[in-house]
Each structure stands twice: as structure tokens, then as C-alpha cells.
Amino acid sequence: MPLQPVILSGGSGTRLWPLSREAYPKQFLPLTSQHTMLQETVGRLDGLAEEHPRQAIAVRDPLVVCNDAHRFLVAEQLRLMGRRAAAIVLEPKGRNTAPALTLAALVANQSDADPVMLVMPADHNIRDEPGFRTAVADAHALAREGAVVTFGIVPSTPETGYGYIRQGAPLETADLNGAAQVLDGFVEKPDAETAQGYLASGEYLWNSGLFVLRASVWLALIERFRPDIAQAVTRACESATNDGDFLRLDAELFAVCPSDSIDYAVMEPLARAVRDGEGGDLPRAVVIPLNVGWSDVGAWSALWAVREQDASGNVLDGDAFVHNAHDNLLVAKHRMVAAIGVDNLIVVETPDAVLVATKEAAQDVKAVTQFLQRQQRDEYIHHQRVHRPWGAYESIDQGSRYQVKRLTVKPGESLSLQMHHHRAEHWIVVSGTARVTCDDKTFLLTENQSTYIPVGVTHRLENPGRIPLELIEVQSGSYLGEDDIVRFEDRYNRDPVEPRRD
């Protein structure tokens, strides 16, 4: 029975601001290696079939469920890996993990006869990947026979930021590489004293958010425990349309779907029903202990813990310098950062924001993002460099009636055929070749050449060359917001009018 990786990429990673932002969250960042967290998740199963040939596990292309706004990021990061997706399913609005997994199960069942799904968040870090694949092989064997399997992380500290899983009796089976227990129940995030008791007892594991089960089993369970979610997602999926590489849901139908997690919607009532003797027709719930260097990298202190440290416990990323300093995390993305005589600090520098916090206060970064969101500040949503399917742009300078940007257009890509009601644009080519459409004229520009686009004129910018096109754009006018765009043609099927942020 094939293994279908299901990657849930809906997280926002607000506790890793200012690197992680709403439009470019942590799963798309290279935080723990040269690869992004999404790419690491996709590659985590490489070698599974070769390492466990006796089980003959055929691993399918990943099925990704993501926010509609992140679709081009997902597609581009897979392309850079040389990977294809079985599907990229777009959520018009985030509804938590239970609806996302229901979408994945419905789509997986369309293309295959009831595969075993391995459900993985896109933003976790695992150091011992061969050990993880061994646990996946065990979970696949159990799920193939109808069990619902989750992985519980063997706790190393009395962590108060995670939910816990209570282990039951050991499973009596000789076919597994490691141990597996009956899943006895879930418990909420504990206080410090309770967490210390959990750690001392040896009966509790951290809840990883990783699951393995057949698609049909999930669909039956969600229908039983949350029929409202099952019905809403099914209706939205039945009206879905293909948009190039993406499966696009009916936004109005999906909007009525309740929001709930896999744990609350299914796993907790399943464990409770089986424990109380009410689950005669229900699948057994199983937990496999996992001790593979797992982290959800949920805060800057967690990133410090998983990164390589120097002899003084410092983690330095970028152009950073420390002197007489210990146990700090310094991230320098734009300029040099120096720390002298300080301990246990987090310093994260980006072109438009700097964060300074103690490691103990790492969870409180959410106070900054909440403030930015209330104030409708762009630093909550975008980096200074904003990614688009055709490339990226970066704001260099701005004033009351002007803005200067640096645009990078990838080879063979183009902006939409568009116009602006309130601004004119002046383009100066720095490197590469630009094909410019301006009303009924089309012409080429090369290095050091420029052109002017008046207000209200239909225009398009393309890169017909083989190297990136770099140009400077000078905007002038009474309103310079990104929503002043009317699209007439767009190869990426974006909205005809860019929505305005209120």
C-alpha cells in the first residue's frame, strides 16, 4: 500500500518575527540548514524504501495543503528541489488542521485506492532522519492494517509549551522495528509542576502533530466525530477547480467550514471512546515514541537550541560578532551585529526591523506581532523584499508622493498586463533585457536604458532573456499603494484587482 506524504503548510510562525512574516512564514525560510523547512520536510522520506526493503513502501509525491496566498512559494520551492507535487490544495481561508487533512484525504482518494497518509507540518525540524524513517516504516505497517498512529516525542525537559500524550499498554507485535503503545489520551499544556511530574513518570510524551493513517479511516472518523466539518469540506472539494498546478476550492463553501484541529476534532474523542469501552467499531489508536531530535522551532529559543553553538554557547547567523558573551542567538541579515558582555539574548536584524529579547521571553514575541497587526503595519505582513511569482521587488526609498523600488524579474517571466489609476512609473534597466509593452507599442530595453509609463496607460514588463532582469522603478503620484493595480491579462491567474488592506 503506497505512502502518501501530506504536508500541512498553513502556519504563520509569528513567534519567529521579524524573519517569519504573514506573507513569507517560517516554513519557507532556511532556518536550520541551507534548505527551507518545507524543503526539509519534503526530503525527509528520501531513502525510506531503500532502508526498509522488506516492507516495500512506495512513497508518492507530496500532497501539500497551503494558504492560497502562499501557492507560488510552495510551487517554486518544490521546483528548486526538482520535485513534483501530487497536488497543491489551496485553502481560501485557514480552518486549522482537521479540515486541511480532510481535504488531503479526499484528494488522495481520487488518485489512489486508499493510500496510507503521513501527515507532517511543514515547519518541524528532525535531526535523526534515518531514525524518523524507521518510525514511519513501523507506523505504515500499523496504519496499513487500519490503526490510527501518532508519534509522541520522548520529553527531555518539563516543557509547558506542548500538549502531552499519555501512553497505555505496549502493543504485542513482532513486526515492528521499535516500540509502540496504545494511545491512552491527550492532556493540555501543563503548568511547570505538572510538567515535571509528567517527565518523572515516564508515561507521557510530547504531542508532535504527526499522524499516519489510511485516507478512508480519516474520512470515516471525521464523519463520525465532526460531520459538520466532513460535509462542509466535501461540498467545497466537489466544487474545486484546477488552476494550473493548483487545486482551488470554492471560497464561499469553504468559508462555512468550522475550524478545529486534528487533536480536538478526532484524536481526543477517539482515544476517549476506546478507553471507555465505546469503540467496538473504531480503529485502535497507537502512539510510537520518537527520540530523533525533534523540534517544532516554535520560538527563537527553540531555534537557538537546535542550531550549532560555539564554545560559549552562541549561535551566529550572518555578519555577527560576540565578545565576552554567552548563550546568545545573533541573526544578521542586512548589516553587522556585534554583542559584547551580554548573555542569553536574542538579537535578530533585518533590513526593516530589529528584535532584541531574552531567551526566557521568546514566547512574548507575539506581543510585537499583535501590535503590528492592530496598527496595520506592513512589517507584520511583508519583508522589505516582497516575493511575487515573477520574481521580487524591494522598496529602497519613499516619500509623500514618490517611491523607489528595485525589481528582479526571473528569466522567461513577466508581470501582468496592467494599469494604475494614481501613479506613473519610470523604469531604468540595471542588468539584463526588458521587453516593455506601453499601450500599443512593444520594445526592448537593455542596461542603462529607461522608459516612462504615464498614469492610466496599459503596460507590461517581461524578461525575455536567460539571466535575471534587474531594474529600478521610480513611482510618482497621489497614491502609491500596491492595491492600485488593474490586471487585464495575467499568466498566474491572480485577481484582476489587487485587494486593498483595510
Side-chain angles (χ1 to χ4, degrees):
M1 183 173 289
L3 180 68
Q4 175 64 71
V6 173
I7 300 177
L8 305 182
S9 183
S12 57
T14 55
R15 288 179 175 83
L16 291 183
W17 184 90
L19 280 193
S20 178
R21 311 217 181 164
E22 184 181 85
Y24 209 92
K26 69 173 182 175
Q27 59 266 35
F28 303 114
L29 299 172
L31 294 177
T32 58
S33 75
Q34 62 181 341
H35 302 293
T36 70
M37 302 194 80
L38 172 66
Q39 291 172 329
E40 288 182 345
T41 305
V42 171
R44 194 156 286 147
L45 296 180
D46 291 352
L48 175 63
E50 293 78 10
E51 292 166 2
H52 301 276
R54 184 172 59 88
Q55 293 174 257
I57 304 173
V59 180
R60 296 297 177 88
D61 291 329
L63 192 162
V64 184
V65 182
C66 71
N67 188 296
D68 181 272
H70 299 151
R71 63 193 186 279
F72 297 115
L73 296 176
V74 171
E76 175 68 5
Q77 294 206 349
L78 291 174
R79 185 192 68 79
L80 291 173
M81 296 180 71
R83 300 294 186 94
R84 293 174 53 87
I88 301 176
V89 185
L90 307 181
E91 292 182 293
K93 188 174 182 63
R95 284 292 182 260
N96 215 320
T97 54
L101 181 51
T102 305
L103 283 172
L106 289 168
V107 173
N109 257 354
Q110 292 173 0
S111 58
D112 191 86
D114 196 17
V116 171
M117 300 186 300
L118 167 60
V119 185
M120 300 180 288
D123 54 2
H124 289 183
N125 175 250
I126 293 177
R127 291 179 177 175
D128 179 8
E129 293 193 338
F132 175 71
R133 290 190 288 269
T134 295
V136 169
D138 285 348
H140 180 270
L142 293 166
R144 189 176 54 203
E145 302 304 319
V148 177
V149 186
T150 187
F151 298 112
I153 307 302
V154 177
S156 55
T157 59
E159 178 63 54
T160 59
Y162 298 141
Y164 282 70
I165 294 171
R166 186 171 56 249
Q167 303 178 80
L171 286 184
E172 298 297 334
T173 175
D175 297 331
L176 303 183
N177 298 289
Q181 272 76 32
V182 172
L183 195 161
D184 191 55
F186 290 81
V187 293
E188 298 292 337
K189 296 176 183 178
D191 58 29
E193 183 179 354
T194 304
Q196 186 62 56
Y198 289 166
L199 182 65
S201 74
E203 298 175 357
Y204 291 83
L205 306 167
W206 291 340
N207 185 0
S208 69
L210 299 160
F211 303 92
V212 183
L213 73 172
R214 286 164 56 175
S216 63
V217 171
W218 172 259
L219 293 174
L221 289 172
I222 195 71
E223 179 65 42
R224 175 162 179 161
F225 293 116
R226 289 301 303 268
D228 52 344
I229 291 178
Q231 292 161 16
V233 173
T234 299
R235 285 194 293 267
C237 203
E238 287 173 347
S239 301
T241 57
N242 287 304
D243 178 8
D245 295 330
F246 313 113
L247 182 67
R248 188 181 293 278
L249 302 177
D250 185 291
E252 292 184 4
L253 292 176
F254 193 70
V256 303
C257 179
S259 176
D260 208 352
S261 68
I262 293 170
D263 292 345
Y264 283 135
V266 168
M267 294 302 296
E268 291 189 16
L270 171 63
R272 186 165 52 248
V274 173
R275 187 178 63 245
D276 295 344
E278 301 172 358
D281 61 335
L282 290 172
R284 60 180 176 175
V286 177
V287 58
I288 293 178
L290 205 59
N291 192 5
V292 292
W294 171 92
S295 172
D296 69 347
V297 197
W300 287 113
S301 53
L303 182 62
W304 170 83
V306 302
R307 291 285 297 268
E308 184 177 352
Q309 301 164 10
D310 66 16
S312 297
N314 297 301
V315 174
L316 307 181
D317 184 342
D319 190 6
F321 169 81
V322 290
H323 175 71
N324 192 26
H326 303 83
D327 301 319
N328 300 290
L329 170 64
L330 272 60
V331 179
K333 293 298 182 182
H334 183 63
R335 71 204 94 189
M336 181 186 178
V337 173
I340 300 173
V342 296
D343 301 329
N344 296 305
L345 282 186
I346 295 163
V347 181
V348 183
E349 178 273 338
T350 68
D352 63 344
V354 176
L355 170 72
V356 180
T358 64
K359 292 215 299 286
E360 291 75 14
Q363 294 290 342
D364 293 336
V365 173
K366 63 182 179 181
V368 182
T369 58
Q370 290 168 350
F371 164 78
L372 294 172
Q373 193 173 23
R374 287 194 306 270
Q375 296 294 315
Q376 299 182 12
R377 295 274 296 264
D378 201 52
E379 295 95 330
Y380 174 76
I381 298 177
H382 293 294
H383 294 87
Q384 186 166 320
R385 182 176 176 85
V386 178
H387 292 263
R388 290 289 186 257
W390 45 261
Y393 69 83
E394 183 175 355
S395 180
I396 300 173
D397 191 17
Q398 58 184 330
S400 61
R401 293 182 60 88
Y402 76 92
Q403 182 169 210
V404 182
K405 293 182 177 179
R406 178 187 294 113
L407 273 64
T408 302
V409 185
K410 294 181 289 188
E413 302 297 334
S414 72
L415 283 67
S416 60
L417 184 66
Q418 60 185 246
M419 61 87 70
H420 310 296
H421 290 294
H422 303 287
R423 74 172 184 252
E425 296 174 340
H426 189 179
W427 294 341
I428 305 100
V429 176
V430 176
S431 63
T433 300
R435 180 186 292 125
V436 178
T437 298
C438 188
D439 270 348
D440 57 352
K441 298 179 181 178
T442 299
F443 51 91
L444 296 177
L445 296 176
T446 57
E447 187 173 328
N448 291 326
Q449 294 181 325
S450 64
T451 191
Y452 175 70
I453 309 295
V455 175
V457 169
T458 301
H459 60 280
R460 191 203 305 266
L461 176 64
E462 303 171 80
N463 180 359
R466 296 184 179 181
I467 65 172
L469 165 63
E470 303 279 349
L471 60 81
I472 300 299
E473 176 181 270
V474 181
Q475 303 176 353
S476 60
S478 59
Y479 179 71
L480 305 174
E482 281 302 307
D483 52 291
D484 182 22
I485 295 176
V486 178
R487 297 189 179 100
F488 303 106
E489 296 176 8
D490 183 48
R491 66 169 60 178
Y492 313 109
N493 296 326
R494 291 171 294 175
D495 292 335
V497 179
E498 190 72 12
R500 183 167 183 170
R501 257 183 74 225
D502 295 323

